[in-house]
Amino acid sequence: MRAVIQRVSKASVSVDEDTIGKIGPGLLILVCAMDGDSDGNAAALAAKISKLRIFKDEAGKMNRALIDTGGAALVVSQFTLAADTSRGNRPGFSTAAHPDEGARLYEHFADQLRGHGISVAQGRFGADMDVSLVNDGPVTIWMDL
């Protein structure tokens, strides 16, 4: 699975001008299931993200994880993370998981985060979404697991 993680002070996602997910401090996680990914990949990515030490401690160092801060996660599916730009000027997305499997793994990933005690809000798989965020830091990290 592939993800872009952004440390945020707040974030929200809307579909047709209706807010369907919203968090305060925490992580905005844009996630894409890749062809060949399994439940194990989703679980491993969720475990890694939940323990990723990218939040400031009392000394101002990035030494705390989401599970330490009590922050929330906004999980948004984004198949364009599978973009292959190696040929021409139009990206290809053939490395993304089939939509049915992508949706299942997206839900499994969100459930795995919840299993680590993290409050999770979500976007809607396959929908045309508007995502708003205030990036804290900014801290933005790419993960391929």
Side-chain angles (χ1 to χ4, degrees), residues 31-121:
V31 66
C32 177
M34 306 296 288
D35 190 35
D37 280 344
S38 66
D39 289 354
N41 295 105
L45 184 62
K48 180 79 171 178
I49 290 172
S50 70
K51 297 173 189 146
L52 194 62
R53 298 183 327 176
I54 59 172
F55 292 88
K56 294 179 183 175
D57 63 14
E58 300 76 25
K61 293 189 178 228
M62 288 199 309
N63 203 26
R64 298 182 74 208
L66 187 59
I67 58 175
D68 301 326
T69 66
L74 176 57
V75 179
V76 176
S77 63
Q78 188 166 352
F79 85 95
T80 59
L81 291 177
D84 177 0
T85 59
S86 63
R87 295 174 301 211
N89 294 318
R90 183 177 179 163
F93 301 102
S94 62
T95 59
H98 185 274
D100 291 341
E101 183 66 0
R104 189 187 72 73
L105 288 170
Y106 165 73
E107 293 297 337
H108 187 66
F109 171 77
D111 288 342
Q112 291 295 305
L113 279 176
R114 288 183 187 98
H116 289 281
I118 295 167
S119 176
V120 176

Side-chain angles (χ1 to χ4, degrees), residues 1 7 9 19 23 38 47 57 61-63 72 76 83 124 145:
M1 291 193 74
R7 189 177 75 187
S9 53
T19 300
I23 64 167
S38 66
D57 63 14
K61 293 189 178 228
M62 288 199 309
N63 203 26
V76 176
R124 185 175 304 144
L145 197 57

